[in-house]
Amino acid sequence: MTDLKIETRDLDLFYGDFQALKKINFLAHENTVTAFIGPSGCGKSTLLRVFNRMNDLIDNVKISGKAYVDGKNIYKKDIDIDELRKKVGMVFQKPNPFPKSIFENVAYGLRVNGISNKTYITDKVEDSIKKAALWDEVKDKLKKSAFELSGGQQQRLCIARTLAIEPSIILMDEPASALDPISTAKVEDLIYELKANYTIVIVTHNMQQAGRVSDHTAFFYLGELVEYDETKRIFTNPKDIRTQNYVTGRFG
Amino acid sequence: MNHLDAELKNLNKDIVAMWKLVIDQLFKSKQAIENFDKDKVCEVLASEKRVDAFELKINMDCENILALFNPLANDLRFVLAVLKINYNLERIGDYSKGIVKLIKNADEPFEKKSLEEASIYGMFDVCLEMLTDSLDAFEHENNEKVRGIFKKDDKLDVVNKSANKIVASLIKHNPKNVLSYLDILTIVRKLERVGDQTKNISEEIIFYLEAKMVRHMKVKEEKKEKKDK
Amino acid sequence: MNTKKKINQAIAFNIFRLISLSVVAILVLILGFIVYHGFSAISWEFLTAMPDEGMTRGGIYPAIIGTLCLIAGSMVFAFPIGVLSGIYVNEYLKESWWKRFLRSMTDNLGGIPSIVFGLFGMALFVNTLGFGDSIIAGSLTLGLMVLPVIIRTTEEALKAVDNSFRLGSYALGATKLQTIAKVVLPIAFPNIITGLILSISRVSGETAPILFTGATYFLGQLPKGIFDQFMALPYHLYVLTTSGTNVEESRPMAYGTALVLIMIVLVVNLLANALRKYFGKQVKMK
């Protein structure tokens, strides 16, 4: 068994009085892809945002229980959130490149983390774009605005941007839901390739996507982690009737 | 490489390995009969376990691929074909096992002359050829080669039909050996079944390659259909 | 039926067109009127000479310089403060009574009549702080007056920045300050410049706030520093039309002054617009 990268123990999360997550016990091992599935509002995105403390940006969020990344409790007082976010990268639902050049988009993460060595930045940018399988499409227009790229290319640029700061965990919040089928397939192939070096957690509404890209799948319902198992188990022989109803499309 | 492609490639590798194992089993059963070689019998019985394991694994892989990747078009036909080929190969493995068990239980070797008279060796060779051809056709996606397999199966049917008479006359000439002769008849029957299974496999290959159901369709009809087109 | 609909459409459409045309017409009329009367007064001497002979001769040079000084002075003071407050309110404050209070105070500040600013400026800058009647007192007073405009436009400009940019930046380990400085502000800056343009227009046109804080109707020489009294175009215009020694004779000069004032506002606006475009290009939205 590989190393444990992410773990939560009896994690509760409240938005004001509303309990969005109930006693979540979850863990993910190194170099695996875990998919979070479940109906809208089930808490899957909320849990994802626990791991890089993105929930901190929302008012009135209360968390109890424990969450660990690389064995460290990330809700301890002395944790450096910016450092945590360097280690736990995130790709969003809508591609959100900055209104900067393609190059600067990828270099941004390096610059804000205090790196100013030009050759290092140039090499790292190229390397990251290559890893995101985008290099051939953009190598001649690195100075052009990122907004000139197609939606799918923008999303891969956002992945490249994340890779540049060398995270070991990548969180993806419905990374392909705003993309056309071909771009979606490219992003999925990319996830499959990245698995060798990163631990990936992906939230998706698309069951087939969960099937295609993930090793493990967690099904959430009303803030509860209902079932968590190998993806093939969840898809062929789920234990909980709610999971079965969800994966077979007979929900509600 | 695409994740689904990787899975399909894996599946392909497994089914080919199983195929080779089954061919090897049949070949060894032939040797076991020819030389009354009990070691070979053990080898066949041992590899039967591996064939069974393959069958389970391929079955599960197909299930997973269908559930996780929702393959379509040629990918879908490939998985469905493999699923059925898997079943047929396992049956062929069982027939090999059945044949070597007869040898295991026999006290003395079968008479060479009787075996030849019942065309056992010939049947083995045809079966092996058919299986090898089918594997070759599958690996190289060669639909012409598949068509040849159907004709070879016809040969087996001819032998099978005449087998009753041949064995009856053998018994008449040497009633003392009746049990051994009945074993020979059983072997003929089993080899004929191997031929049928191989034919089924070929039909699956055609389904995979051409999306055509040739099962329950006579070769002649198929030819006619081809001409009509 | 169909024709009736069409006629109704045509009537409505033409009414709209007429109304908007009349607005343009009034504007053209005013400008035309001023250009027509003022153009003849404009000369090199008019722009570069001191006023003379009870302001019936000479030029308006000190007034031009005075107005430019006021624009520069008030913006140096108000722009950074306004932008920083806008950033504080929009980026740092959570939705709370304090934020609502700050907002309503800003709005109230914007609603105060300019003459009250003048009085306040006199009390605070001229007397209490002892700046005397001076450019700095006038600039600060004007600056105070336009602060709400700048704060508000900054806030709106920041609010218009899609939150996904901020999230994207935080997710890369950027601090809040880095996110604001490197991502949010560059995107919002072209729109913040709009606030600058609006404020400049107001500053160059206001008379009341400088009335008690340093504007004088006649200077024989240019101010030597920021603590000197000054002339300003709008006040000069007022003096020329109401209380000159010979109102009738200085009338052409009044029109000329008005024309120059309008031209200055126009030129400064064009400059600011160019600035806006420049910053717009720095952020590669397309």
Side-chain angles (χ1 to χ4, degrees):
Chain A
M1 206 30 121
T2 47
D3 288 346
L4 203 58
K5 291 296 281 187
I6 304 174
E7 189 181 1
T8 67
R9 279 187 216 146
D10 290 334
L11 188 92
D12 289 317
L13 187 145
F14 294 85
Y15 292 124
D17 294 330
F18 172 72
Q19 186 166 12
L21 293 174
K22 297 170 188 164
K23 293 266 169 286
I24 303 290
N25 286 294
F26 168 82
L27 44 87
H29 290 276
E30 195 171 15
N31 299 351
T32 58
V33 179
T34 307
F36 285 0
I37 61 170
S40 296
C42 65
K44 54 192 191 305
S45 285
T46 304
L47 181 58
L48 193 75
R49 279 152 202 266
V50 162
F51 304 135
N52 65 347
R53 294 196 55 170
M54 224 47 173
N55 288 321
D56 292 15
L57 302 173
I58 304 167
D59 299 346
N60 279 327
V61 173
K62 265 188 309 221
I63 289 180
S64 62
K66 300 240 162 70
Y68 300 90
V69 166
D70 283 335
K72 260 194 230 152
N73 184 348
I74 55 170
Y75 281 89
K76 253 170 97 179
K77 279 233 170 79
D78 61 347
I79 204 90
D80 183 340
I81 298 184
D82 305 323
E83 282 300 309
L84 172 72
R85 288 185 185 142
K86 256 174 75 180
K87 195 155 60 175
V88 186
M90 185 166 211
V91 177
F92 296 83
Q93 179 173 6
K94 220 183 79 197
N96 59 345
F98 303 123
K100 299 172 186 285
S101 70
I102 292 167
F103 183 92
E104 281 305 322
N105 258 280
V106 184
Y108 179 81
L110 301 171
R111 295 197 202 284
V112 297
N113 285 298
I115 295 166
S116 54
N117 182 330
K118 261 193 180 165
T119 39
Y120 178 81
I121 290 180
T122 313
D123 291 348
K124 195 76 207 170
V125 167
E126 179 175 339
D127 182 53
S128 307
I129 298 180
K130 275 180 180 160
K131 274 189 194 150
L134 188 65
W135 182 249
D136 290 338
E137 291 155 70
V138 303
K139 61 171 181 244
D140 299 323
K141 46 179 179 181
L142 293 173
K143 290 269 179 307
K144 292 270 176 64
S145 165
F147 284 49
E148 278 182 21
L149 300 176
S150 73
Q153 290 172 325
Q154 286 186 13
Q155 193 62 302
R156 276 179 285 148
L157 182 68
C158 291
I159 294 175
R161 186 173 79 178
T162 305
L163 298 181
I165 52 169
E166 298 178 346
S168 60
I169 298 167
I170 302 176
L171 310 173
M172 298 189 171
D173 193 354
E174 297 182 49
S177 66
L179 306 182
D180 63 274
I182 290 174
S183 305
T184 301
K186 281 190 179 161
V187 170
E188 287 177 3
D189 289 349
L190 184 57
I191 294 172
Y192 178 63
E193 276 166 32
L194 293 176
K195 190 172 81 169
N197 300 308
Y198 302 89
T199 304
I200 298 172
V201 184
I202 173 172
V203 166
T204 177
H205 271 130
N206 179 335
M207 201 95 59
Q208 278 73 41
Q209 186 166 67
R212 285 189 294 261
V213 303
S214 70
D215 305 304
H216 294 86
T217 293
F219 171 65
F220 292 85
Y221 184 57
L222 298 176
E224 264 179 78
L225 176 52
V226 174
E227 192 167 349
Y228 178 42
D229 209 332
E230 276 185 276
T231 301
K232 42 192 170 193
R233 278 301 203 90
I234 298 279
F235 275 59
T236 57
N237 184 20
K239 298 277 170 295
D240 195 289
I241 187 75
R242 289 170 291 179
T243 316
Q244 174 160 319
N245 286 341
Y246 186 74
V247 297
T248 53
R250 291 192 183 83
F251 209 74
Chain B
M1 189 169 26
N2 179 303
H3 197 172
L4 173 61
D5 285 345
E7 294 286 335
L8 291 177
K9 202 178 163 195
N10 234 337
L11 186 63
N12 194 324
K13 210 183 76 201
D14 280 349
I15 193 85
V16 167
M18 179 183 184
W19 217 310
K20 286 182 175 156
L21 196 60
V22 168
I23 292 173
D24 186 56
Q25 269 188 316
L26 195 64
F27 182 70
K28 281 180 178 150
S29 347
K30 185 190 169 198
Q31 288 180 321
I33 289 187
E34 259 183 329
N35 312 322
F36 197 65
D37 183 342
K38 300 240 173 177
D39 288 347
K40 287 278 185 256
V41 170
C42 290
E43 278 179 40
V44 171
L45 291 177
S47 63
E48 175 61 15
K49 292 225 166 61
R50 287 183 58 205
V51 171
D52 287 349
F54 262 124
E55 195 216 357
L56 288 178
K57 176 167 191 292
I58 289 170
N59 227 328
M60 204 191 283
D61 286 349
C62 286
E63 186 188 349
N64 287 334
I65 291 175
L66 288 173
L68 300 180
F69 297 94
N70 317 107
L72 293 173
N74 57 332
D75 292 342
L76 175 63
R77 296 202 307 273
F78 178 79
V79 177
L80 290 176
V82 166
L83 198 56
K84 291 184 182 169
I85 291 171
N86 179 40
Y87 167 78
N88 285 310
L89 286 175
E90 195 271 338
R91 294 299 299 273
I92 293 173
D94 279 351
Y95 293 131
S96 297
K97 187 178 80 180
I99 290 170
V100 294
K101 269 197 173 156
L102 294 175
I103 300 163
K104 192 181 167 196
N105 298 332
D107 300 328
E108 53 189 74
F110 297 115
E111 296 166 11
K112 279 243 156 73
K113 211 184 78 198
S114 331
L115 287 171
E116 260 159 33
E117 226 164 286
S119 315
I120 296 288
Y121 297 140
M123 281 184 98
F124 263 114
D125 290 341
V126 173
C127 285
L128 283 168
E129 244 174 69
M130 284 171 72
L131 262 177
T132 319
D133 281 0
S134 68
L135 174 58
D136 197 54
F138 178 83
E139 278 187 296
H140 300 102
E141 308 196 339
N142 182 343
N143 15 14
E144 284 315 305
K145 201 151 203 169
V146 186
R147 295 295 191 302
I149 295 171
F150 296 123
K151 276 179 213 139
K152 285 180 182 159
D153 186 52
D154 291 346
K155 283 195 221 164
L156 291 178
D157 288 344
V158 173
V159 177
N160 183 43
K161 266 180 198 155
S162 56
N164 278 5
K165 274 186 189 163
I166 293 168
V167 172
S169 77
L170 281 173
I171 295 172
K172 214 181 273 169
H173 282 103
N174 191 357
K176 254 197 327 190
N177 256 350
V178 63
L179 281 179
S180 151
Y181 295 145
L182 285 178
D183 281 351
I184 289 177
L185 186 61
T186 310
I187 293 173
V188 171
R189 292 281 187 268
K190 286 196 189 292
L191 288 174
E192 193 271 337
R193 292 299 301 147
V194 170
D196 281 351
Q197 300 288 353
T198 314
K199 207 176 97 184
N200 290 346
I201 289 175
S202 310
E203 286 163 357
E204 292 307 325
I205 297 173
I206 288 181
F207 167 72
Y208 158 51
L209 294 177
E210 303 174 15
K212 214 176 338 178
M213 287 288 199
V214 286
R215 177 167 294 190
H216 311 308
M217 202 193 262
K218 294 262 163 60
V219 177
K220 273 177 197 163
E221 283 175 45
E222 206 215 328
K223 270 192 182 154
K224 197 178 150 238
E225 198 180 68
K226 221 176 190 177
K227 256 183 207 163
D228 289 347
K229 274 182 188 167
Chain C
M1 197 59 197
N2 231 340
T3 38
K4 200 181 163 195
K5 271 189 187 168
K6 271 187 189 160
I7 290 170
N8 279 345
Q9 283 251 53
I11 290 172
F13 177 69
N14 277 309
I15 289 173
F16 296 153
R17 178 151 64 184
L18 211 67
I19 289 173
S20 52
L21 274 180
S22 59
V23 172
V24 176
I26 291 170
L27 188 69
V28 169
L29 210 66
I30 295 173
L31 282 176
F33 182 76
I34 289 171
V35 171
Y36 175 77
H37 289 284
F39 192 71
S40 57
I42 306 267
S43 66
W44 185 245
E45 193 204 350
F46 182 68
L47 295 176
T48 57
M50 296 289 158
D52 211 358
E53 294 184 22
M55 279 177 276
T56 53
R57 321 242 20 193
I60 53 166
Y61 184 53
I64 295 177
I65 294 300
T67 290
L68 290 178
C69 284
L70 286 178
I71 292 175
S74 61
M75 285 309 121
V76 163
F77 163 66
F79 192 65
I81 293 182
V83 170
L84 292 179
S85 324
I87 291 173
Y88 174 68
V89 172
N90 196 66
E91 300 293 320
Y92 283 89
L93 278 187
K94 288 182 178 175
E95 209 54 60
S96 64
W97 69 269
W98 170 238
K99 184 171 181 173
R100 283 190 295 276
F101 174 74
L102 270 185
R103 275 244 174 79
S104 76
M105 283 329 256
T106 315
D107 287 344
N108 287 339
L109 198 63
I112 294 174
S114 52
I115 188 79
V116 178
F117 274 104
L119 266 170
F120 176 75
M122 181 177 72
L124 180 67
F125 302 122
V126 177
N127 298 332
T128 311
L129 294 177
F131 294 156
D133 283 347
S134 60
I135 290 179
I136 187 159
S139 295
L140 291 175
T141 311
L142 284 170
L144 273 187
M145 187 189 69
V146 295
L147 255 183
V149 180
I150 297 175
I151 295 176
R152 267 316 212 173
T153 38
T154 303
E155 259 189 77
E156 294 305 320
L158 292 173
K159 220 184 279 174
V161 176
D162 198 305
N163 207 29
S164 68
F165 293 129
R166 293 186 185 88
L167 294 181
S169 174
Y170 291 139
L172 292 168
T175 61
K176 186 157 198 160
L177 189 61
Q178 287 172 325
T179 301
I180 292 169
K182 297 195 174 194
V183 175
V184 180
L185 258 191
I187 299 173
F189 214 73
N191 285 335
I192 293 177
I193 302 274
T194 309
L196 185 72
I197 296 175
L198 285 173
S199 333
I200 288 174
S201 301
R202 272 199 74 183
V203 163
S204 45
E206 279 291 347
T207 320
I210 52 173
L211 210 53
F212 314 131
T213 51
T216 175
Y217 71 93
F218 180 76
L219 270 183
Q221 55 190 12
L222 290 179
K224 287 205 179 63
I226 56 169
F227 291 104
D228 284 354
Q229 284 194 314
F230 56 92
M231 288 177 73
L233 286 169
Y235 184 56
H236 188 61
L237 182 60
Y238 167 74
V239 170
L240 283 179
T241 22
T242 58
S243 45
T245 42
N246 192 342
V247 174
E248 280 311 312
E249 243 184 84
S250 54
R251 179 107 335 143
M253 302 202 61
Y255 283 120
T257 308
L259 185 58
V260 169
L261 181 56
I262 288 174
M263 292 314 286
I264 286 180
V265 172
L266 193 73
V267 168
V268 173
N269 274 1
L270 285 178
L271 275 176
N273 248 321
L275 209 62
R276 191 188 146 92
K277 282 234 174 73
Y278 172 77
F279 283 115
K281 259 187 201 148
Q282 295 302 299
V283 270
K284 302 192 171 182
M285 285 304 238
K286 288 223 174 67

